[in-house]
Amino acid sequence: LISSVVIYLVMNNYGDNDMWFLLSSGKEIVQNGIPFENPFTYISGLGIVIQQWLWCVLTWVLFDNFGGYGLFALCIVLYFLVIYLFCKIAKINGSDNVFVFMVVSLLFVTFGWFFINVRPTMVTVVLLLWQVYMMDKYMKEGDWKILLWLIPISLLEINLHSSLWSMHFLFIIAYIFPNIKNKAVKFKTKAYSIKPFLLIMIPMFLVGFINPYGIDGILYLFNSYGNELNELGIKELVSPSMNDPMGVTLWVSWLIAAYVIFRNKDKEWDSSIIYLFCGLNILGVMHARNYIYYLLGLILFIIYGIRNICFDINVKGTKIASIVFLILSMAFLVSKASIIEDEFKIKDSYDTPIKAVEYIKNAGAENSNIFTEFNGGFFEYSGIKIFIDPRPELYMEKVNGSQDIIKDYIEYLRHANSSDDYAKFLDKYNFEYLTAYKGSGFGIFMENNKDYQMVVDAEEYQLYERKDLLCSRK
């Protein structure tokens, strides 16, 4: 039953604006190899680091062969891998029962379903959980060779999602940091040697250089952070507050944590899980996009907290209930089959401006100076050169090594005080075509701009062409 709900949620969420950038990048890599100069923008000389290059290749191959169904299946597989690894971690820590599976599944579906999409976030969650399982297994069995698995995990992360590569080392710190004496939680004496952890970090670090971009891939996270992204008002970079569900769940989780600790007040805890929980909560408070990692820490904490609670399970009754739920799930999915198929059809919108793309292609203007914002991903996927796309950090000078395009975008467009700012922006970049969101300040400015003619009037956006080009074509 839970699985059917997940499938229904994912089919409405598997793709987002970043998907088109990922597919464009994957297509470019498969056809032309790893790019070091941005192949998508008409502005020449901009360097590029596709920090999730291997993930892009995987998504493109699936999409090219199976369409939206391939990406949808990938998201579902990743979800089940996450649940499987949570249960493996629970089992090795003595929480092997149906109740644990239900808690893990319900928590992840309820609070994390919107992260089950085509972005590489979920594959990072899988790799982090895989690492936790291996580290816990080493703690229980004491065989240092188990930690050798952390080397391929590091290698996969640096190529699938390099901006989160450093988090694997932070997870190790939670296992080697000394126990801190406190009155709230009793810590177990570490019964394992921390030396293998320290040693394994050396090859983990070294394999980080085995990526197409070398040190730039390793430092991508640090180079791509800056005030520019905060000034763009990107929602996922905003800190959760009590006015949104994420902020509320943070507070609720702290109450749950206090209850679980009180329930186990006479028990001893592994300090690693407390450190992980606290560290991932700090990440969750910083940015909304880190919420998934906070959720990971919360579920791990609950798994550890309920391992001493026993439940009597009626095996026969559980099997009957499982069969009933399976039948209900299949019936639910069959009833929604038409919706699934409909969700894979691309609709004209600001993020997927099909009509604008068709017009530009019919005009033979694929290589023109075309102004795009975060909807640039669909243009690049369609083979049209763009201004910027859903990855604004690529247009920061410290990432591309050439020009601070995003700074101009913020100054002249996002912080525009008058029509003069818009006009200066248009003059500087000499745009031949522009897309504008209906009702925005820039959209209103373009409606009254005498140098441009509106050529596409869609429901969410408008496409403008410079009048001298329009006249020359006619």
Side-chain angles (χ1 to χ4, degrees), residues 81-82 84-86 88-90 92-93 122-140 143-158 161 164-176 192 196-205 207 272-273 276 280 293 296 300 304:
L81 277 175
V82 167
Y84 171 75
L85 286 167
F86 271 129
K88 290 286 286 184
I89 293 168
I92 202 171
N93 284 283
M122 282 293 289
V123 78
T124 291
V125 172
V126 168
L127 292 174
L128 287 171
L129 287 174
W130 184 12
Q131 177 171 326
V132 168
Y133 173 68
M134 289 303 168
M135 292 191 295
D136 282 1
K137 190 173 183 181
Y138 163 71
M139 286 172 55
K140 304 298 180 185
D143 185 357
W144 65 269
K145 292 189 289 295
I146 294 172
L147 295 180
L148 292 175
W149 282 103
L150 274 58
I151 300 173
I153 290 173
S154 175
L155 181 61
L156 284 171
E157 189 72 83
I158 196 65
H161 198 192
L164 272 295
W165 176 72
S166 58
M167 190 176 288
H168 290 270
F169 296 89
L170 297 178
F171 270 50
I172 291 179
I173 291 175
Y175 284 76
I176 64 177
Y192 55 91
F197 281 115
L198 296 172
L199 292 175
I200 202 65
M201 284 197 284
I202 298 173
M204 282 179 68
F205 177 77
V207 297
S272 58
I273 186 57
L276 278 177
L280 293 172
Y293 306 111
L296 186 155
L300 287 175
Y304 283 80

Side-chain angles (χ1 to χ4, degrees), residues 269-340:
W269 291 72
D270 292 316
S271 59
S272 58
I273 186 57
I274 300 297
Y275 294 153
L276 278 177
F277 178 68
C278 292
L280 293 172
N281 264 267
I282 292 172
L283 280 179
V285 170
M286 289 172 60
H287 300 300
R289 71 178 178 185
N290 295 335
Y291 182 83
I292 185 65
Y293 306 111
Y294 141 77
L295 184 61
L296 186 155
L298 174 63
I299 295 176
L300 287 175
F301 178 83
I302 291 175
I303 285 174
Y304 283 80
I306 63 177
R307 61 186 170 185
N308 295 309
I309 302 174
C310 298
F311 297 88
D312 294 324
I313 304 298
N314 184 314
V315 177
K316 184 178 180 180
T318 301
K319 288 183 178 179
I320 294 173
S322 299
I323 294 172
V324 172
F325 284 142
L326 178 61
I327 294 172
L328 290 173
S329 299
M330 294 304 296
F332 176 82
L333 292 176
V334 169
S335 69
K336 299 297 182 181
S338 60
I339 297 178
I340 295 176

Side-chain angles (χ1 to χ4, degrees), residues 406-426:
I406 206 67
K407 184 177 180 181
D408 286 342
Y409 172 76
I410 293 171
E411 180 180 350
Y412 292 117
L413 240 65
R414 288 299 179 100
H415 292 171
N417 295 315
S418 66
S419 297
D420 290 339
D421 290 329
Y422 293 133
K424 289 177 183 177
F425 183 64
L426 267 60

Side-chain angles (χ1 to χ4, degrees), residues 176-182 187-190 192 269-272 275:
I176 64 177
F177 199 79
N179 292 348
I180 300 174
K181 291 183 179 180
N182 63 92
F187 287 143
K188 289 181 179 180
T189 301
K190 293 184 185 295
Y192 55 91
W269 291 72
D270 292 316
S271 59
S272 58
Y275 294 153

Side-chain angles (χ1 to χ4, degrees), residues 18-32:
D18 270 20
M19 178 179 76
W20 303 110
F21 169 79
L22 297 173
L23 293 175
S24 302
S25 300
K27 182 179 180 181
E28 173 69 20
I29 293 168
V30 169
Q31 294 181 351
N32 302 308

